[in-house]
């Protein structure tokens, strides 16, 4: 009877451990949750100030993850403090800068441009990995990146190449490009993170990011627009804190750990895929041929880039 009770308590933990070692499943989560992040950012532009959204996103995420991270923090804190320059750099690039610039960009550009510009993220990750570490890509990875990029462009252009030539780029797009450079560097540099538990790393970077944003948030509140306390702002913060922050970052960081930065960067190409799926399921939009073609190309690209070469 005792053995049966012990056995009944282990399956959930076993399933979580299995998921943590399944990068191909984990790759789906950031694309899904970041697709929602772009939609939320654009839909509340003008109503919720961008710095306020970023600050409360990471503050809430740190608070929510703290109880789960605490048992590991007591063990990992000395190593993270010893590695504080790396922790500060990673939190600055991936937490404080990236999403703040994305939210600033969402104030003056379209959701299409936000998604379209993110499709160059995997290429920027490859460039960052080469410039920082001298890492090159294999022919198979290059083919996967090319196919995945082609699929993403098919989706955002609705199958019409003329759409890409008529995109109206503005200041918001420059903010988004700067955000992409920052996150590409973060992805490449993740290999330098201390060897600590994922929850410890997530809490520490979320908290550091929030602290870095605090003076900017105070300035925005005093000189521009304070954060309104409305149902819209609360729900937006809840979504970006739980889904686009905690779950997406834990999954993304783990994929980088398991598959490397260049392959993990391809998860960004899933953002337009899930954007299409969410539009069909939630907004009643219709699937077209170009949707199927784009998704098929992205799936082929991910398969090429992530499959293991046949053993000799």
């Amino acid at each position: 009877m005792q053995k049966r009770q012990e056995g009944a308590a282990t399956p959930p933990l076993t399933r979580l451990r299995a998921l943590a070692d399944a990068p191909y499943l984990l790759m789906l989560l950031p694309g899904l949750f970041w697709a929602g992040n772009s939609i939320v950012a654009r839909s509340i532009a003008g109503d919720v100030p961008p710095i306020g959204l970023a600050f409360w996103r990471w503050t809430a995420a740190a608070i929510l993850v703290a109880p789960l991270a605490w048992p590991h923090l007591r063990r990992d804190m000395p190593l993270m403090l010893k590695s504080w320059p790396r922790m500060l750099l990673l939190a600055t690039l991936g937490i404080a800068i990236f999403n703040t610039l994305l939210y600033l960009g969402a104030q003056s550009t379209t959701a299409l441009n936000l998604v379209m510009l993110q499709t160059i993220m995997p290429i920027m990750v490859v460039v960052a990995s080469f410039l920082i570490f001298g890492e090159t890509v294999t022919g198979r990875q290059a083919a996967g990146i090319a196919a995945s990029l082609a699929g993403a462009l098919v989706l955002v252009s609705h199958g019409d190449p003329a759409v890409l030539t008529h995109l109206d780029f503005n200041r918001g797009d420059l903010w988004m490009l700067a955000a992409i450079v920052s996150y590409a560097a973060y992805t490449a540099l993740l290999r330098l993170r201390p060897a600590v538990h994922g929850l410890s790393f997530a809490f520490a970077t979320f908290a550091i990011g929030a602290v870095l944003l605090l003076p900017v948030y105070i300035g925005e509140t005093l000189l521009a627009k304070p954060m309104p306390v409305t149902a819209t702002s609360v729900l937006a913060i809840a979504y970006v804190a739980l889904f686009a922050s905690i779950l997406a970052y834990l999954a993304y960081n783990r994929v980088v750990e398991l598959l490397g930065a260049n392959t993990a960067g391809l998860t960004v190409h899933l953002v337009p895929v899930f954007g299409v799926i969410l539009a069909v399921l939630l907004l009643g939009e219709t699937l077209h041929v170009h949707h199927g073609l784009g998704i098929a190309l992205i799936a082929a690209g991910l398969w090429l880039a992530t499959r293991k070469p046949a053993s000799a």
Side-chain angles (χ1 to χ4, degrees):
M1 185 71 174
Q2 184 177 359
K3 289 184 178 180
R4 205 166 25 229
Q5 287 176 346
E6 290 176 352
T10 55
L13 183 59
T14 302
R15 287 194 293 269
L16 284 175
R17 288 173 177 167
L19 178 61
D21 292 325
Y24 309 111
L25 292 178
L26 291 175
M27 287 182 80
L28 300 176
L29 299 182
L32 172 60
F33 298 142
W34 288 341
N37 184 46
S38 294
I39 293 172
V40 168
R42 183 56 190 161
S43 66
I44 63 175
D47 297 323
V48 177
I51 308 299
L53 179 60
F55 171 76
W56 285 110
R57 167 184 179 169
W58 298 117
T59 300
I63 292 171
L64 289 173
V65 82
L68 298 174
W70 177 247
H72 310 286
L73 276 171
R74 290 181 294 177
R75 179 189 66 245
D76 294 336
M77 187 61 72
L79 182 55
M80 289 192 291
L81 289 174
K82 183 179 179 180
S83 306
W84 71 263
R86 296 181 183 183
M87 294 294 297
L88 179 60
L89 178 61
L90 290 170
T92 300
L93 292 172
I95 306 299
I97 292 180
F98 172 66
N99 286 279
T100 303
L101 295 184
L102 186 153
Y103 294 151
L104 284 169
Q107 303 298 303
S108 56
T109 194
T110 64
L112 176 61
N113 280 26
L114 288 176
V115 172
M116 184 269 178
L117 289 169
Q118 288 183 68
T119 61
I120 69 172
M121 177 82 77
I123 297 173
M124 295 303 296
V125 171
V126 171
V127 171
S129 297
F130 174 75
L131 292 177
I132 300 172
F133 299 106
E135 180 180 337
T136 58
V137 296
T138 65
R140 174 176 49 82
Q141 287 177 322
I145 292 171
S148 184
L149 176 61
L153 293 177
V154 167
L155 287 179
V156 299
S157 67
H158 305 286
D160 182 4
V163 171
L164 300 178
T165 64
H166 290 89
L167 286 174
D168 183 19
F169 291 98
N170 55 35
R171 184 175 62 184
D173 299 306
L174 295 178
W175 285 121
M176 190 64 222
L177 285 172
I180 289 168
V181 172
S182 177
Y183 204 75
Y186 166 81
T187 301
L189 290 167
L190 267 177
R191 71 185 67 186
L192 301 180
R193 59 175 273 189
V196 297
H197 195 276
L199 289 170
S200 297
F201 181 77
F203 170 80
T205 52
F206 294 172
I208 294 170
V211 171
L212 292 172
L213 287 170
L214 178 58
V216 189
Y217 169 59
I218 293 173
E220 180 188 63
T221 301
L222 296 177
L223 303 176
K225 182 176 182 178
M227 169 66 77
V229 182
T230 63
T232 298
S233 64
V234 171
L235 288 174
I237 291 170
Y239 175 83
V240 298
L242 178 58
F243 294 99
S245 297
I246 296 175
L247 297 179
Y249 270 70
L250 285 174
Y252 185 79
N253 292 347
R254 181 61 174 164
V255 173
V256 173
E257 185 179 351
L258 293 174
L259 298 181
N262 290 346
T263 301
L266 291 175
T267 60
V268 178
H269 283 167
L270 292 172
V271 172
V273 172
F274 284 111
V276 169
I277 294 173
L278 291 174
V280 171
L281 294 179
L282 302 179
L283 304 178
E285 296 189 7
T286 305
L287 277 174
H288 297 283
V289 173
H290 67 267
H291 292 137
L293 176 60
I295 291 172
L297 282 169
I298 291 173
L302 292 175
W303 178 78
L304 279 171
T306 58
R307 74 183 182 94
K308 297 180 179 178
S311 56

